[in-house]
Amino acid sequence: MTARRPTAIDIVEVGPRDGLQNDSRHLSTEAKVEMIAKLAGAGLRRIEAASFVNPKRVPQMADAEAVLARVVDLPGVSVSGLVLNGRGFERALAAGLREISFVAVATDTMAARNQGTTARGLVETWAGIAKRAEAEGLFRSVTIAVAFGCPFEGEVPLARVIEIARALAESGADEISLADTIGVATPLAVEERFAALSEAVPGLPMRAHFHNTRNTGYANADAALRSGVTVLDASLGGLGGCPFAPGATGNIATEDLVSMLERDRVATGVSLELLRDATLWLEGEMGRRLPAHGAHVSPWPRVLAA
Amino acid sequence: MTARRPTAIDIVEVGPRDGLQNDSRHLSTEAKVEMIAKLAGAGLRRIEAASFVNPKRVPQMADAEAVLARVVDLPGVSVSGLVLNGRGFERALAAGLREISFVAVATDTMAARNQGTTARGLVETWAGIAKRAEAEGLFRSVTIAVAFGCPFEGEVPLARVIEIARALAESGADEISLADTIGVATPLAVEERFAALSEAVPGLPMRAHFHNTRNTGYANADAALRSGVTVLDASLGGLGGCPFAPGATGNIATEDLVSMLERDRVATGVSLELLRDATLWLEGEMGRRLPAHGAHVSPWPRVLAA
C-alpha cells in the first residue's frame, strides 16, 4: 500500500529569493514587488521574498530591504527572508519580518566555501539566533542545505543529516526542511531521509525543497508528501538554478506542482489560472521562456467545445 | 508504508517510433538505423522501431520496412512495431518482427478520429489479430491509448478503461499497457488505475507509457513502479510529442528515467553514459536541444577532484 498524501499542504513560494538570486537577469525592485503581489494574489500564503546576504556576493539581493518594506504587510501572507548568520537575523528583524528561514548545511566543505565556517559552526550560529527569534515571537523555519548530495563532498551520509537536524531542533524550530540544493535527490532517497527525520524529531512539521535539475523534482515532491512532509518549496515558472550546477534548471515550478497536487486531491489554496498569468508576465520580465510547462499547455481537464 | 519498487524493470525505448513519428524533423533511414543501433548498444533490450501506419498520414514512418530490415536481427534485442489494424499486422509479420504492440483506444471519439472506428471496434480488431499473432508465436503487447484522459472527451472513466482491458486480455495478450497519450496523468491516478488493472487481469504483466507534458511524467513512472508495473516506455532525449497537444514535450526521457531508477535501486541494464552520448548525437541530427536533462548536467555521484 502507498502512504496517503495529506489533504492539504502549504507551498512556500521561493521564486523571489531562490529564483532571482541565481539568475543573471536582475529584476528591478519594482518588478520584484509586482511579482510578489501577483503571487499573493494567486493565493500563496507563504513567500520567501529575499535573502540577507552580502550584496557584494549576491548583487541580485542588494535591494532586499527596499523590496521587503513594500511587501511585509501584505494581508494574509507570511513574508520571510533567508538568514545565514547573526547579521542577517538583525536585518530580518529590522525589516519587520515575522518569519525567518535559517540555512544550515550538511557538509563542512559547503559550509566553508559558502559561509566560511563548518556544519557544526552553523548549528551553533542557529542556537544563538533561535533564542532571539523565539523571544521576538518569530516563526522559525530551519533548512539543511545539500541534504541529498553536496557538489564538493558528493554523497552525504543520512546519519550526518539527522545529527544536524536533531541539534537544530534542540535549539528550537517551528519546522525543519531538507533541501536538495543541487537537484540530485530521487524518490527513494526522499522517502528514506524524511522517514528518518520524522523519527528523529517527532511532531516537528517537515518541509522539503527540490530542484528539477535531473527531472526528478516532481517525483521527489510526491515522495515527500507520502512521507509526512506538509510544506513544499516551489518557484513561479520554475525560475532559478544553482551557481554550482551550470545548465541546471531551477526549483520545481509552483504552477506544475499545484497542477499535479490539485489533481491528486491535495489542496493548495492557489489559483492555477492566476499563476499561469503571473508566469507569462514573468517570462516577459526575464526575457525568456521559463522551465515550467504549465503556462504553455492547455489546462486540464479542458473545457470541450460542443 | 510505501509499496516497494521492483528490483529490476524493462524499459521499452519508443523514441524511434513515438518520438520520431510526431516530429517535424524527418530523420533519414540511415540515421534511424544508427539511432536504434546506439540504443541497443546502450543496453536497451526492447525497442519500438516503427509504426505501421498510412505513410500519407504519417510520412515520418514511410520507411518503416526499410528501417526494420536493418535492425530486426540485432542480437539480444526485441524489435517491435506499432500495429493499429489488420493491415499493419500483415506488415509486421512480413517484416519478420517477433513482437507487436497493438493500440486500442479508451474513447470512441479518439477511435473515430484516429482510426475511423469505435473503442469496441478496436477490441474486435484485436480479437482477430491476437489469434494470428499467437499462432505465429509473436510476443503480443497491447496498449490502451488515452487511458488517463482524452483530448476530445476529457476525463476518461476508469470503469471504461478496465472494461476494455478485460476484453483485450480475453483475446490473449502477453502484457497490457496504459498510455497517458496526452500527458495529463498524475501519481494518484496512476496508482488507482494500475491497482484496478491488476485486479482485473491478475498476473498479466503491466506496462505504462507517460509523456512529460505537464511535468508529471517521472512522478507517474515512479507511481507505476510502486503499483506493480514492470515495463516502462521512454524515449531517448525525451524526443516526441503529441499531435493533439501543441507545445507539449515528449515521452519521458530514457536517460532521466534510468538515472532516477538506478539511484533508487531499480536495475535497468542500461548504460547512462552511452545514453548521454546517444542523446548528444541525436540532438545534432534533430538540430535542436531535446527536453531530457541528463545529457546536460554533471553525472551523479560525480567523481570529485582531489
Side-chain angles (χ1 to χ4, degrees):
Chain A
M1 285 307 298
T2 294
R4 275 200 292 178
R5 295 165 184 89
T7 55
I9 68 153
D10 272 334
I11 294 176
V12 181
E13 169 64 45
V14 298
R17 197 275 304 169
D18 200 17
L20 296 178
Q21 171 171 297
N22 294 302
D23 210 281
S24 57
R25 180 102 167 202
H26 296 200
L27 287 195
S28 68
T29 303
E30 199 58 43
K32 290 180 186 175
V33 170
E34 189 171 349
M35 179 181 174
I36 292 164
K38 283 179 191 292
L39 290 163
L44 272 309
R45 293 177 296 264
R46 293 180 66 179
I47 301 177
E48 217 168 82
S51 183
F52 297 107
V53 286
N54 184 337
K56 283 186 197 131
R57 284 196 64 187
V58 188
Q60 292 92 329
M61 291 292 125
D63 61 351
E65 274 81 359
V67 171
L68 291 172
R70 304 266 301 275
V71 302
V72 71
D73 290 326
L74 273 174
V77 178
S78 180
V79 171
S80 63
L82 211 69
V83 165
L84 306 170
N85 49 39
R87 180 183 305 191
F89 176 69
E90 298 305 328
R91 288 174 65 191
L93 265 189
L97 295 188
R98 306 306 303 152
E99 172 178 345
I100 56 167
S101 284
F102 179 79
V103 182
V105 171
T107 68
D108 285 331
T109 316
M110 185 71 159
R113 298 256 196 144
N114 233 16
Q115 289 158 254
T117 178
T118 60
R120 170 54 56 181
L122 287 167
V123 167
E124 285 160 17
T125 301
W126 174 240
I129 293 173
K131 264 205 196 74
R132 292 214 47 212
E134 189 182 14
E136 298 281 348
L138 302 192
F139 183 88
R140 299 157 301 166
S141 186
V142 187
T143 290
I144 303 177
V146 297
F148 294 86
C150 170
F152 306 112
E153 297 193 12
E155 304 278 8
V156 173
L158 173 53
R160 182 86 179 112
V161 174
I162 295 305
E163 180 197 337
I164 293 170
R166 273 191 220 274
L168 292 166
E170 271 164 25
S171 296
D174 296 304
E175 75 184 5
I176 192 155
S177 174
L178 300 186
D180 180 24
T181 310
I182 56 169
V184 296
T186 50
L188 180 61
V190 171
E191 293 164 8
E192 288 175 345
R193 288 187 179 221
F194 280 105
L197 181 62
S198 69
E199 256 192 56
V201 293
L204 194 60
M206 298 192 295
R207 171 177 169 183
H209 177 98
F210 297 115
H211 285 255
N212 198 34
T213 314
R214 287 165 181 79
N215 249 332
T216 59
Y218 302 88
N220 292 340
D222 188 55
L225 296 189
R226 290 183 285 97
S227 307
V229 167
T230 54
V231 184
L232 285 175
D233 292 4
S235 78
L236 184 66
L239 190 71
C242 173
F244 305 107
T249 61
N251 298 99
I252 55 172
T254 313
E255 59 265 52
D256 291 350
L257 181 65
V258 167
S259 164
M260 177 174 86
L261 296 185
E262 295 284 342
R263 287 288 289 176
D264 281 355
R265 298 175 214 144
V266 179
T268 63
V270 181
S271 158
L272 196 50
E273 203 181 331
L274 292 175
L275 278 183
R276 290 159 55 102
D277 293 347
T279 289
L280 294 175
W281 168 85
L282 183 60
E283 290 186 338
E285 293 292 319
M286 303 306 288
R288 65 171 199 273
R289 184 159 162 168
L290 295 172
H293 294 184
H296 299 282
V297 295
S298 55
W300 187 262
R302 74 183 63 172
V303 178
L304 298 162
Chain B
M1 284 310 297
T2 295
R4 273 201 292 178
R5 296 167 184 89
T7 54
I9 68 154
D10 271 334
I11 294 176
V12 182
E13 168 65 42
V14 298
R17 197 275 306 168
D18 201 18
L20 295 179
Q21 170 171 296
N22 294 302
D23 211 283
S24 57
R25 181 103 166 200
H26 295 200
L27 287 195
S28 67
T29 302
E30 199 57 44
K32 290 179 185 175
V33 170
E34 189 171 350
M35 179 180 174
I36 292 164
K38 283 178 191 293
L39 290 162
L44 271 308
R45 293 175 297 263
R46 293 180 67 179
I47 301 178
E48 217 169 82
S51 185
F52 297 107
V53 285
N54 184 338
K56 283 187 196 134
R57 285 194 64 188
V58 187
Q60 291 93 331
M61 291 291 125
D63 61 350
E65 275 81 0
V67 171
L68 291 172
R70 304 265 301 276
V71 302
V72 71
D73 290 327
L74 274 172
V77 178
S78 180
V79 170
S80 64
L82 211 68
V83 165
L84 306 170
N85 50 39
R87 181 182 304 188
F89 176 68
E90 298 305 328
R91 288 174 66 189
L93 264 189
L97 295 188
R98 306 306 305 151
E99 172 177 345
I100 55 165
S101 285
F102 179 78
V103 181
V105 171
T107 68
D108 286 331
T109 317
M110 185 71 159
R113 299 254 196 146
N114 234 16
Q115 287 158 257
T117 179
T118 60
R120 169 56 55 182
L122 287 167
V123 167
E124 285 160 16
T125 300
W126 174 240
I129 292 173
K131 267 204 195 73
R132 292 213 48 210
E134 190 182 13
E136 298 281 350
L138 303 192
F139 184 87
R140 298 157 301 165
S141 185
V142 187
T143 289
I144 302 178
V146 297
F148 294 86
C150 170
F152 306 113
E153 297 193 11
E155 304 279 9
V156 173
L158 173 54
R160 182 88 181 112
V161 174
I162 295 306
E163 182 197 336
I164 293 170
R166 273 191 219 275
L168 292 166
E170 271 165 24
S171 296
D174 296 305
E175 75 183 5
I176 192 154
S177 174
L178 300 186
D180 180 23
T181 311
I182 57 169
V184 296
T186 49
L188 180 61
V190 171
E191 292 164 9
E192 288 174 346
R193 290 190 176 219
F194 281 105
L197 181 63
S198 69
E199 256 192 56
V201 292
L204 193 60
M206 298 192 295
R207 170 176 169 183
H209 176 98
F210 297 115
H211 285 256
N212 198 34
T213 314
R214 286 165 181 79
N215 248 333
T216 59
Y218 302 89
N220 292 340
D222 187 56
L225 295 189
R226 289 183 285 98
S227 306
V229 167
T230 54
V231 184
L232 286 174
D233 292 4
S235 78
L236 184 65
L239 190 71
C242 171
F244 305 107
T249 60
N251 298 98
I252 55 172
T254 313
E255 58 265 54
D256 291 351
L257 181 65
V258 166
S259 163
M260 177 173 87
L261 296 185
E262 295 284 342
R263 286 289 287 176
D264 281 354
R265 298 174 214 143
V266 179
T268 64
V270 180
S271 157
L272 196 50
E273 203 181 332
L274 292 176
L275 278 183
R276 290 158 56 102
D277 293 347
T279 288
L280 294 174
W281 168 85
L282 183 61
E283 290 186 337
E285 294 291 318
M286 303 305 288
R288 66 171 197 274
R289 183 158 165 170
L290 295 173
H293 295 183
H296 299 281
V297 295
S298 55
W300 186 263
R302 75 184 61 176
V303 178
L304 298 161

